[in-house]
Structure formats: C-alpha cells, structure tokens
Amino acid sequence: MSRVLVPLAILESESVSTGLPTLLATMDVTVLGYHVLPEQTPPDQARLQYEDRATDALVDLEAAFEAAGGSADHRLVFTHDREQTIDRIADDTAADAYAITGTTGPVDRFLVTLSGDVAVDRITAFVTELVGDREIGVTLVLATDDEPSGRDSLEAAADSLAGHGIDVATELVVGEPPLEALLAAAVGHDAIVMGEQAPSLRSFLLGEDAERVAAESVGPVLVVREHRDETAAE
Amino acid sequence: MSDPSSVGGTNVEGESPQIEPTVETDEATITDDAELERTLGLTGGLAIGIGTMIGAGIFVFPGLAAGRAGPAAAGSFAIGALVALLVALPASELATAMPKSGGGYYYISRGLGTLPGAVVGLSLWFGLVFATAFYLVGFGYYAVDTLAELGVTVGDGLVIPLALLFGASVTVLNVTGTENAAKLQNGIVALLLSILIVFLGYGGLDAVGLVGEPSAPEQFAPFGTMPVLTTAALVFTSYLGFAQVATVAGEMRDPGRNLPLAMVGSVLVVGVLYVAAIFVATSAFGSERLAGFGETAMVEVGRHYFGSIGAVAIVVGGLLATMSSANASVLSTSRAIYAVSKDALLPRRASHINLRYGTPHVALGMAGGPILALVATGRVELLAEVASFLHLIAYGLLCVALLALRRNEPAWYDPDFRVPGYPVVPILGALASFVLLGFMQPASQLVGIAIMVATAGWYAYYGRDVTLKGVVE
C-alpha cells in the first residue's frame, strides 16, 4: 500500500476535516504532528511541557483515520524548521505523497493535474490506488503550449485509469498558465492531486505551487512526491 | 517510559530530573514518543560561536588591554586563544559524546557528579549574566559614540541609561519571539567579518610599514610579563562564545562533525582577528594614547587609517558586535537555566514556555532582571573578570570531567571526535584555566567565589537528594 504523510501543526489545533480520512481510506497514513518553535527555545524544552497534550491529539486523529477504514500511525516532532521536518519524515517513512489538509466533506470527484514536468506514471499509479474500487470520479487536467503532445499524454493517462474501471474526464487547456488553469478547473471538485515539482525561482519567490493551490482551492491537496532515488540517479 | 523518580531522587519540591532514554541520530533526537529535529548546520554553529565572541575583544578591550600591557596585549589575546583552544578540544569530544542541549553543565554533572554539576550549572547562569551586562555596557559606549559621530554629543553620562534601555529591549524581544533571528545573526557576523578583514588587512599592511608612513617603534612589553598575564585573565571574556555552541548541541545536524568544527573554528577565527586588531591598534597610536581613548579606542584607530569613514565603520561594527554578543548571551542564559531546571536543581516552572510566543519567558526574565541590575553598576572590568572567572571554573572542570570519563569509560560514552594528544591537552586545559584565575583582581575572585559558595548552598538546600544518571563515581 502507498503511504501518505499528513503533517499537522498539532498544538495549534490544526486538524483534518471529515472527508480526508474517508478519501485516504485506501492508503497507509502517517499523521505527522509537528510544533515549530522560535530559535531561542530548545525543542526539548517544548517537548517536556507539551508532549502529552500533543500525543493525545495525535492518538485521536489516528483513530479517526482508522475508523474510516484505513491504517494509520503517528509521529510527533518538535522543530525549528517545518520544511526540513516534513522532508525528513517523508523520507523516513518512504511516503509516496503528502497531504495539505483542507476542508472537505465526502469526496465524489477529484481533480488531478498533469501540467508541467511531473512524473505522470507515478501520479496515475497513485490515483488508481487511491480510488481503489470506490465510486469516485477523476478529472485530469493538463495545461500546455504544445497541444498535440499534451493531448497524447492526457489520453494515455486517461486510458490507464479507465482500464482500472475509474470514471475519467479530461480537460486540455492550451496557452494558459498551469496554476490558473488548475484553479479554474478546481470548481466542482472536492480535492486535488498534483505532482511535486523541482523548486524554481518562482516557487522560491511566491511559495510552492502546492501551498498556493491549497490556499486558493480550500479543499485538501495531495502532493505525489518525486522518487528521490530516481532523481538522484539522473 | 521508566519512572523517573526511581532513578533521579527529588528536590525539596518533589520534582525529579526528567531523563528519558533517547537515540541520537545525525538528523534528530528520538525519545520515546517524540522527535527533536536537528536544524542547525555548520554555518549556524560558527555564527553562534563567532557572533558571541567577536564583540568584546576588538571593540571594547583594545584600549583597556593596551593600557595594562602595552603592545604585548596582543600576547595576552594569544594566551587567551590558546587557553580557549585547549578547552574547546575537550569540549568538542564531550559534545559529540553527549550532543544534547546544556553544554558544559551537562558534561560536568554527568562526568563528575551532581554537586560540581549544580555549582557549574548555576554559576554559568551568573557567568552569562555578568558577561551580558559587560557586553551591554560596551554597547552603551558605542551608542554614545554613534550619537557623537552623528553630531549629537551627549557625553558618557548616557552610557548606562542606553545600555539599560537596550538590555530591556533585548529581553522583551526574546520573550515575544525573534523570527529569523538566526538569519539576521548570520548576516551580522558576515558583515562584521567583512568590515574587520578590510580594516585589519589595510591596517596590518600599514603597521608593518608596507603602505603609509612608518610608525614609531615601541617597546613590546614595557611593563614586563606579569601584566601580560593579568591582561590575559581580563580579556578571556572575549573567548566565552565557543562554549555557547555546545549549548545548542541538541539542535545541530551531524553533531559528530559540525560541533568540533564550529567550536575550534570559531576560536581560531576570532583569535586571529583579536591578535591582529591589537597589533594594528598599538601600531597606529602607541599604547599610552590608545589607553586614553578607553572603551571605544578602536573608533580612533579607524579614524586614523580611513578618516571619518573608518570611524563610522568601526562605530557601526561596534554596535552590531556588542548587540549580537548581548543577544546571544541572553539566549544562552535562558538555556542554562533550562538545563539545570530539567534536572530538578531549579524549580521546573523556571523553564516553562508560553504557547503564545513559544518562548521561555520565566527563564528570560531570570536572565534579564539580574543583567539590568549589573549593567547599572557600569564596572566594565569587574563584570568581564567575574564572567571569565565563572566560565574558567566550568572550563577547568570540563577538562577534569573528560579525564574522569575516559578513565572509567562507561558504556554510553562513545564520542565521534576524540581529543588529539590525550591526556596532555585536557590536563593542560584544566591547568591553564585554573592558573588564569590566579591572575585576576582580588575583587573579581571574591565575587566569583561568593557566587560559587552560594550555588553550593542552594544545592545543599534544594537538590541534595537529586542524583544524575550517567554520573561516574
């Protein structure tokens, strides 16, 4: 089974909405409770005081994921650096995706974006497993300037999903910025699946695409990670 | 989780040391049910060490030191660097064996036992308080000089009020949380190093007669060797920062490599800069005139070489350096209090943090209050020497703790870095630390001893029944 990491600022009462455990019922879930401390506070000092409170909250969340039918465990980390912690735990648990929790009820249909330089095979494999044998529909969206090859790649992905009995729709957007195209297509969908992209100057300036999508689409965003070993070998 | 009360004893309030089994990896410390991320790299470690140390030696001491020892003050700084290096090596070994927050206190309480640990832990708190007060007074002098460069002459009467004001703001700022403080600190250190390298590079060339006019030769040690040693004891405060690196050992990535590099590296960098600064300063003016300029003598040295631009650069450098030293020391003080209270030698509430800001407000108050009281005295040399005194005791005992641990080598003791030249280096380190104590003014020695006696008394009253795990008897 694939594993999804769900990072939560646990002591700031960040939690998951009811739809997310149901959506992730086909996955192994690791709930990562983290607490970010200012530089002047040793992480251990916060652990002494807040470990029990945080663990209680995490055990409750774990139970929520298991009640929805998935399998779940949790990790608790006190840190100065949120990104570093998420990366380390994702590597540590060999997570295939991480979730940016948004607000959603039951998910009937979610949006998958294949725009940009992402590992399409890994995304479709993940989506296939995520849907499983449930009645959840998938819309594939691809924004590109190269219409013929975009159409090919979109149809190949749709065929592969349809082969597993998934209800697939496709949407090809030509000549529009991928992020805007994605957000426009997100209307009427309950969640978004996207691939992790290499950090670019733009993501450095404006924040990661995934964070921006999550902020603007309100619903949960699942980010399929790059395969670290493959990228290292290239 | 094992019941901590069965292993650690209790203090008079019934609190026990909080000691849990942990696994240290290069990237995190893993306890029973939580993980502590290691987020500091080598650059961050060097910035802490250099940022704490770089203030006093260059921007406050040159005038005072040259007045006492003549051009041989450069030798005093070299002696200080040597002692610091002899301690930094054993400290590195201990830090890689126990990469946890707490620094010197932690190693001594685990290596030598609870009483020496308690005395050192509480003395380090006061030592840092004295050091911070000293940095703040230095800041006051530079603030007055800054105003003077801007054309507002206020006189030295405002030194202490400005220092108090800044000390209070540092404390409040740290309680409310300093976002990106580490990045700012790195920037300040980089800026300071650039100013100093240009300044000392040109000044050095001038001093050896390659550019500019030849300076009048001066007798190297006009007052003999004794003042060189007493000056070394005074200026040792300039080298207190390397041990602050060990207090963040629990937050450093790959501690086996980065801790020794950061500690030894920061001592070497500031040692070279200090010796060069004194050499340049005494070449520019001769030690007598330099002494007449007092705490901000370097400003006149800057003016001598580069005119008013040089003076402004040094004034700005002095402000930044004393600020960064004071800030770093306030933080270290709150960490020292945390380490001791975690072991039940101070009330647990001393290390409470508030969830709103995520900062240890009680400990920061326990640092800020006494600091302001000491700043008000304005006694630069006394503050510096007492700080050195209390730290040197800790450094000496730290070397002894290393010897004790190596003799019995308990199973948990497995450092990634081992002191070269064992046992000569730790023995020399201990001797050098204790000998330097003898060259201080009697007043500083008395204050230092009084503080140690008081801390031992506190231990006897409050934490007598506490025993600390890993103690080698």
Side-chain angles (χ1 to χ4, degrees):
Chain A
M1 236 193 306
S2 292
R3 180 169 292 279
V4 177
L5 192 67
V6 182
L8 290 169
I10 196 72
L11 288 171
E12 286 158 29
S13 311
E14 197 184 330
S15 191
V16 296
S17 58
T18 51
L20 193 64
T22 319
L23 178 64
L24 295 180
T26 52
M27 297 277 156
D28 282 326
V29 171
T30 297
V31 184
L32 165 61
Y34 63 85
H35 186 59
V36 180
L37 294 149
E39 282 133 1
Q40 63 264 54
T41 312
D44 192 44
Q45 195 166 351
R47 181 188 66 84
L48 269 189
Q49 209 173 330
Y50 296 114
E51 180 176 2
D52 292 345
R53 198 187 296 182
T55 304
D56 282 352
L58 283 171
V59 167
D60 289 348
L61 282 167
E62 208 181 299
F65 279 98
E66 287 188 334
S71 83
D73 58 14
H74 74 257
R75 303 277 287 260
L76 171 61
V77 185
F78 293 89
T79 182
H80 294 305
D81 184 339
R82 175 177 171 273
E83 305 299 321
Q84 185 183 318
T85 297
I86 293 176
D87 282 346
R88 179 176 65 86
I89 301 289
D91 285 342
D92 221 33
T93 55
D96 302 278
Y98 63 91
I100 303 170
T101 62
T103 313
T104 181
V107 175
D108 301 319
R109 183 162 206 97
F110 61 80
L111 185 68
V112 178
T113 169
L114 302 175
S115 308
D117 182 20
V118 293
V120 174
D121 291 348
R122 287 180 57 79
I123 296 178
T124 50
F126 178 82
V127 167
T128 308
E129 199 182 333
L130 181 64
V131 173
D133 49 12
R134 297 184 289 181
E135 294 291 314
I136 297 179
V138 171
T139 305
L140 295 175
V141 62
L142 175 62
T144 181
D145 295 331
D146 179 5
E147 193 174 345
S149 93
R151 190 172 303 282
D152 288 351
S153 132
L154 198 55
E155 271 167 18
D159 287 348
S160 140
L161 290 179
H164 289 91
I166 298 171
D167 164 27
V168 194
T170 59
E171 198 174 326
L172 185 69
V173 184
V174 180
E176 254 188 71
L179 198 64
E180 279 70 12
L182 173 63
L183 287 169
V187 180
H189 294 85
D190 309 299
I192 293 174
V193 175
M194 60 193 294
E196 188 174 47
Q197 284 176 322
S200 64
L201 179 64
R202 216 171 115 254
S203 72
F204 177 73
L205 292 173
L206 298 173
E208 261 183 60
D209 280 358
E211 306 280 349
R212 296 178 63 205
V213 170
E216 294 190 34
S217 73
V218 184
V221 176
L222 298 177
V223 184
V224 179
R225 299 178 69 224
E226 291 267 350
H227 209 290
R228 298 301 151 121
D229 297 339
E230 277 174 19
T231 45
E234 273 168 15
Chain B
M1 202 187 298
S2 62
D3 177 13
S5 64
S6 66
V7 295
T10 57
N11 63 23
V12 293
E13 291 179 56
E15 294 165 341
S16 310
Q18 293 275 318
I19 294 157
E20 283 123 303
T22 56
V23 180
E24 313 285 346
T25 72
D26 281 350
E27 276 139 16
T29 298
I30 297 154
T31 69
D32 265 353
D33 208 20
E35 294 158 54
L36 313 169
E37 192 83 35
R38 296 180 172 276
T39 52
L40 266 176
L42 177 58
T43 325
L46 280 169
I48 291 175
I50 297 175
T52 317
M53 283 193 270
I54 208 163
I58 289 175
F59 294 102
V60 184
F61 276 135
L64 303 177
R68 280 181 166 208
S76 306
F77 273 99
I79 292 172
L82 188 65
V83 176
L85 206 55
L86 287 173
V87 178
L89 288 167
S92 297
E93 172 170 333
L94 291 166
T96 62
M98 298 170 254
K100 295 168 185 295
S101 301
Y105 157 74
Y106 194 86
Y107 317 138
I108 291 162
S109 64
R110 269 50 179 183
L112 296 177
T114 317
L115 173 63
V119 170
V120 165
L122 297 168
S123 299
L124 276 181
W125 163 23
F126 291 108
L128 284 164
V129 162
F130 274 87
T132 315
F134 160 74
Y135 299 139
L136 285 172
V137 176
F139 171 85
Y141 280 105
Y142 271 91
V144 167
D145 266 37
T146 306
L147 292 175
E149 293 298 323
L150 294 173
V152 187
T153 311
V154 289
D156 280 359
L158 264 182
V159 167
I160 301 302
L162 284 172
L164 284 172
L165 187 69
F166 183 67
S169 356
V170 165
T171 311
V172 171
L173 213 65
N174 279 309
V175 170
T176 51
T178 45
E179 201 69 31
N180 296 325
K183 280 184 203 122
L184 190 66
Q185 180 88 344
N186 292 0
I188 289 180
V189 169
L191 180 64
L192 266 174
L193 287 179
S194 329
I195 293 180
L196 286 173
I197 285 167
V198 171
F199 172 72
L200 296 177
Y202 180 82
L205 290 178
D206 183 282
V208 295
L210 287 178
V211 291
E213 291 168 21
S215 55
E218 189 183 5
Q219 201 187 340
F220 183 64
F223 313 112
T225 34
M226 194 60 187
V228 178
L229 293 172
T230 60
T231 307
L234 169 71
V235 302
F236 191 72
T237 321
S238 319
Y239 291 103
L240 298 190
F242 73 88
Q244 282 7 305
V245 181
T247 64
V248 296
E251 287 149 69
M252 194 168 273
R253 276 197 302 267
D254 195 359
R257 166 182 175 270
N258 289 338
L259 274 169
L261 282 177
M263 282 204 252
V264 173
S266 55
V267 168
L268 289 176
V269 168
V270 297
V272 167
L273 288 177
Y274 286 171
V275 173
I278 298 295
F279 176 70
V280 168
T282 49
S283 303
F285 283 121
S287 42
E288 210 169 311
R289 275 186 69 198
L290 199 62
F293 295 133
E295 276 82 357
T296 51
M298 283 311 268
V299 179
E300 300 311 318
V301 179
R303 202 187 311 280
H304 174 82
Y305 284 116
F306 293 103
S308 54
I309 295 176
V312 168
I314 295 296
V315 155
V316 170
L319 275 180
L320 290 178
T322 48
M323 260 161 134
S324 102
S325 293
N327 187 50
S329 309
V330 169
L331 292 186
S332 298
T333 315
S334 79
R335 282 164 184 269
I337 292 171
Y338 159 62
V340 177
S341 84
K342 189 186 179 193
D343 286 343
L345 295 171
L346 276 177
R348 177 77 19 88
R349 60 180 177 278
S351 62
H352 265 205
I353 60 180
N354 59 61
L355 203 44
R356 175 151 175 225
Y357 298 121
T359 51
H361 55 294
V362 185
L364 286 168
M366 288 166 72
I371 287 170
L372 294 185
L374 288 175
V375 167
T377 67
R379 300 276 307 271
V380 175
E381 297 198 9
L382 184 78
L383 292 174
E385 281 204 353
V386 174
S388 295
F389 185 97
L390 295 171
H391 277 84
L392 280 167
I393 297 274
Y395 293 168
L397 287 177
L398 183 152
C399 295
V400 177
L402 176 73
L403 292 166
L405 283 166
R406 281 278 200 110
R407 267 182 86 94
N408 299 303
E409 200 124 352
W412 55 263
Y413 188 78
D414 182 26
D416 290 337
F417 169 85
R418 284 182 179 258
V419 166
Y422 177 88
V424 180
V425 167
I427 289 175
L428 282 179
L431 286 178
S433 303
F434 293 138
V435 167
L436 214 48
L437 297 174
F439 292 105
M440 292 185 175
Q441 302 166 32
S444 317
Q445 292 168 333
L446 275 177
V447 175
I449 290 169
I451 289 175
M452 289 179 63
V453 169
T455 56
W458 168 262
Y459 167 72
Y461 156 71
Y462 190 82
R464 201 176 24 214
D465 297 330
V466 172
T467 50
L468 296 171
K469 193 177 156 194
V471 172
V472 184
E473 294 294 356

